[in-house]
Amino acid sequence: MVEQAKLGDREAFTRLAFELSDHLFAVAHRILRDFDAAGDALQVTLLRIWRDLPSLRDPDRFEAWAYRVLLRACQDQLRRQNRQPRTLHLLAADAIAADPALAIVNREQLDRAFRTLTTEQRAAIVLQYYRDMSLPQIAEVLQVPIGTVRSRLHYAKRALRSAIDADSRPTTREGRTA
Amino acid sequence: MNRERAFDQVLRHWLDDGADQAPERYVWAAIEDVERTAQRGVWQASLKGTLMKVTPAMTVLSAAAVVLLAIVAYQVLGSSRFAPPAEPSSTPRLIVVADLSRILPPTEVDLNTGSPLPAVTGLQALGVLLPEGTDGFPQTGFIDARMTAHSGEGGYQTSSALFDTAADAQRGFDFLTTTLDVKSTHGWSLERTGEVPGLGDESLSYSGSAPFAGLRNVGVYLWRVNNVLLAVFQFNYTGNALHTLALEMDARAH
């Protein structure tokens, strides 16, 4: 199907689009945390996939390439909506060690905390914990070395915990976030 | 370590809970866009494939053959027979920054104060075509842009954007048309009305509305003349000057 679509077969692309759309939308929705924005990102992604498909040299790498196109669309969405987070000052390691029990972390806290992450950090988290991708797979999608993926995940989780911790302690929150 | 695992578990559960099915309307909208969009780079890919099949030995032989032919031609015909071309080159001239304002209609005057409205320059001058911001705009080769401001609640805005090369301008054209094609609740709700015959090297026109700004009767002409992108944007206005304005700008760009 990818090969056919690459050669300009619109019917093959239509089938491919329906096959891909659930996966792409689910990832976009988790990164953007917004249903409509995820739909817009999906629409742009499918169009860009069609437009740029002839430039894909190795059809075996289509999935990673498609996710890469999606992540760029998500990044555009976040930028355009001015949702790009401000830099979060990380808490010191000892402060994290004393973070509140995870059991009390609720969905809203996680949601707020997740929105403080950069697009790259969000992507790394979603690809690992939602898509269950390995570090080399994530590295291929993001086109960065494995070490960079590892470090993004580390800082993303640390930032999440910091934000959750700050969220749980409103009296000290102002001093900890930018 | 247990805390680490527990946190990972919390993350997984939280991420599992979300939309898993794409609303079909977005997929169909994309497929409609695809129907109107040509794939990019098919000929480049095929040319590249052809070139890759050429071996170094073939390249050397071909170059040698060209040199040999040139020497033979020179000796047989003599250099004096190569007369200068009778007509000047038909290559279109490259537009420069100084041309940008000249191409656009005169800047409007503020109806309240009587003074000319300030000129808008740089990427901001494309702002009217990029309701969700200029961040994603491909800036490779982008030099500068101008936009005429508007003074009323409806009317026209015109833009001209200069790029280093025609290929850079083409990339800008592709990006803007892709953006204009997307229908969203906080962006455009435009329909392509087709190419505009006789306008630039490539052109597209749109009509519809702009939900992001609550604008009705929106019409857009976007076209490229060599290394410059030109646009006319009509909003909250039912006049028919869109086409005339575009033709005048196009003539000044040539």
Side-chain angles (χ1 to χ4, degrees):
Chain A
M1 221 164 5
V2 174
E3 300 260 23
Q4 286 174 302
K6 188 179 168 181
L7 292 171
D9 184 335
R10 284 185 162 85
E11 283 185 23
F13 181 78
T14 301
R15 292 197 299 275
L16 185 65
F18 275 100
E19 195 175 294
L20 285 174
S21 56
D22 286 347
H23 292 298
L24 294 178
F25 180 78
V27 168
H29 185 231
R30 279 153 182 87
I31 289 175
L32 296 170
R33 317 301 305 163
D34 182 299
F35 198 85
D36 290 332
D40 287 347
L42 171 68
Q43 190 178 335
V44 170
T45 300
L46 291 174
L47 183 59
R48 286 180 185 168
I49 286 176
W50 162 258
R51 198 188 59 190
D52 297 335
L53 199 48
S55 68
L56 176 67
R57 286 184 195 165
D58 183 359
D60 289 341
R61 301 200 163 178
F62 173 74
E63 191 184 350
W65 178 76
Y67 275 122
R68 198 151 54 241
V69 177
L70 176 76
L71 295 182
R72 274 205 302 273
C74 289
Q75 200 153 31
D76 292 346
Q77 284 290 326
L78 285 172
R79 279 182 187 149
R80 288 168 192 176
Q81 294 164 25
N82 292 322
R83 287 182 188 166
Q84 197 69 335
R86 293 172 297 171
T87 307
L88 184 79
H89 293 312
L90 297 179
L91 294 178
D94 56 345
I96 291 166
D99 70 354
L102 290 168
I104 66 161
V105 176
N106 61 36
R107 289 179 46 79
E108 287 72 27
Q109 278 181 305
L110 257 174
D111 202 61
R112 278 194 294 273
F114 192 78
R115 287 172 194 274
T116 66
L117 302 184
T118 64
T119 317
E120 292 81 6
Q121 288 174 331
R122 293 183 193 200
I125 290 278
V126 171
L127 293 178
Q128 181 169 60
Y129 292 98
Y130 176 67
R131 292 297 298 158
D132 284 326
M133 283 189 184
S134 64
L135 292 184
Q137 285 173 320
I138 299 172
E140 190 188 350
V141 170
L142 301 178
Q143 290 208 301
V144 294
I146 292 175
T148 306
V149 176
R150 196 175 282 122
S151 121
R152 275 187 194 167
L153 282 166
H154 170 77
Y155 283 105
K157 284 165 67 177
R158 198 170 157 183
L160 276 177
R161 288 177 167 196
S162 297
I164 290 166
D165 188 48
D167 199 36
S168 303
R169 299 171 188 172
T171 51
T172 57
R173 186 175 168 185
E174 291 304 313
R176 285 178 179 165
T177 53
Chain B
M1 201 62 186
N2 282 341
R3 276 184 59 254
E4 191 71 26
R5 281 206 205 99
F7 189 70
D8 288 356
Q9 205 60 25
V10 168
L11 262 180
R12 277 183 209 283
H13 281 309
W14 177 70
L15 286 169
D16 273 344
D17 191 15
D20 287 325
Q21 282 196 316
E24 283 197 0
R25 66 178 186 276
Y26 290 109
V27 188
W28 283 117
I31 288 166
E32 274 179 35
D33 294 338
V34 162
E35 290 294 327
R36 297 184 300 240
T37 306
Q39 282 186 317
R40 186 189 278 174
V42 177
W43 66 270
Q44 289 103 320
S46 98
L47 179 64
K48 197 172 180 184
T50 308
L51 290 175
M52 283 173 75
K53 287 176 191 158
V54 177
T55 62
M58 283 167 74
T59 310
V60 170
L61 281 175
S62 307
V66 168
V67 170
L68 191 64
L69 273 173
I71 291 169
V72 169
Y74 183 80
Q75 285 179 344
V76 171
L77 300 172
S79 60
S80 61
R81 297 200 182 187
F82 290 100
E87 297 293 325
S89 164
S90 62
T91 307
R93 72 186 178 85
L94 219 55
I95 295 162
V96 295
V97 173
D99 295 322
L100 289 178
S101 300
R102 185 184 56 77
I103 293 169
L104 301 181
T107 305
E108 287 184 55
V109 171
D110 189 312
L111 295 176
N112 297 317
T113 64
S115 54
L117 288 160
V120 182
T121 62
L123 271 184
Q124 265 195 316
L126 290 173
V128 70
L129 296 170
L130 295 163
E132 293 173 346
T134 56
D135 285 348
F137 189 78
Q139 294 193 38
T140 313
F142 173 78
I143 297 173
D144 204 354
R146 297 284 182 278
M147 182 182 86
T148 54
H150 65 91
S151 55
E153 289 180 358
Y156 299 96
Q157 277 188 245
T158 53
S159 297
S160 56
L162 180 67
F163 292 79
D164 204 20
T165 64
D168 294 328
Q170 206 165 9
R171 269 191 289 277
F173 181 86
D174 287 345
F175 181 87
L176 290 173
T177 51
T178 305
T179 306
L180 290 166
D181 280 337
V182 174
K183 295 177 187 59
S184 80
T185 49
H186 49 268
W188 297 111
S189 183
L190 296 173
E191 294 294 340
R192 272 193 193 193
T193 43
E195 289 183 25
V196 187
L199 209 57
D201 302 310
E202 53 186 335
S203 64
L204 273 174
S205 60
Y206 293 84
S207 67
S209 62
F212 72 95
L215 303 178
R216 293 164 290 101
N217 296 325
V218 170
V220 180
Y221 271 26
L222 175 69
W223 73 106
R224 179 180 66 82
V225 179
N226 202 4
N227 61 325
V228 71
L229 283 186
L230 297 169
V232 186
F233 175 78
Q234 169 195 290
F235 59 101
N236 291 352
Y237 197 67
T238 52
N240 58 0
L242 186 66
H243 193 73
T244 313
L245 263 178
L247 290 178
E248 286 171 3
M249 285 168 61
D250 191 68
R252 285 194 289 266
H254 279 88

